[in-house]
Amino acid sequence: MKKNIKTLYLNHKEIINYLIVGVLTTLLSLAVYYFCVSTFLNPRNAFQLQAANVISWVISVLFAYITNRKYVFESKNSHILKEASAFFLARVSTLLMDMGIMFLCVTLMGMNDKIAKIISQIVVIISNYVFSKLFVFKKK
């Protein structure tokens, strides 16, 4: 049984590690977002809603870059600044997706902001993996 689990892990290491890091990144993002809207920002105010979103994004992207580089894609790229810039640029595109989903769901449709944030995070996680795999940590 242990051998089967180990073999399964080794055969799918990148995607399993990405899911683990993705869950941790999402939990961090949600925790920061919920902290912001429960302490000093009002999610019913469109500007403050987006401010909470951006704050949670910045913190989670910093965490995501470090963990994706080290544990998921095991990057050995010596051009860290170039790689980090590509990572952050890819994440900006998913931030815009996140902001659009939150605006549509909360501001226009009146959905609960916490439920909308979870829906948004599912879309963002999938998009982030695709962008990271294709554009940031591509194997040469």
Side-chain angles (χ1 to χ4, degrees), residues 33-96:
Y33 172 80
Y34 294 154
F35 173 77
C36 289
V37 298
S38 66
T39 57
F40 63 94
L41 294 171
N42 179 0
R44 297 197 191 289
N45 176 297
F47 177 76
Q48 290 184 36
L49 170 76
Q50 297 304 339
N53 226 16
V54 170
I55 292 167
S56 72
W57 178 84
V58 168
I59 292 170
S60 63
V61 168
L62 287 170
F63 174 80
Y65 174 68
I66 294 165
T67 53
N68 274 279
R69 176 179 168 77
K70 183 170 175 108
Y71 301 109
V72 177
F73 299 103
E74 299 175 348
S75 177
K76 306 291 186 230
N77 189 339
S78 61
H79 303 286
I80 294 174
L81 189 56
K82 183 178 178 184
E83 181 183 76
S85 297
F87 187 86
F88 279 86
L89 186 59
R91 291 308 197 261
V92 166
S93 66
T94 57
L95 169 64
L96 295 175

Side-chain angles (χ1 to χ4, degrees), residues 73 77 82-91 93 127-140:
F73 299 103
N77 189 339
K82 183 178 178 184
E83 181 183 76
S85 297
F87 187 86
F88 279 86
L89 186 59
R91 291 308 197 261
S93 66
S127 301
N128 282 339
Y129 178 77
V130 171
F131 292 162
S132 290
K133 182 81 174 164
L134 296 178
F135 304 115
V136 181
F137 299 108
K138 55 188 174 222
K139 305 284 186 212
K140 295 188 179 184

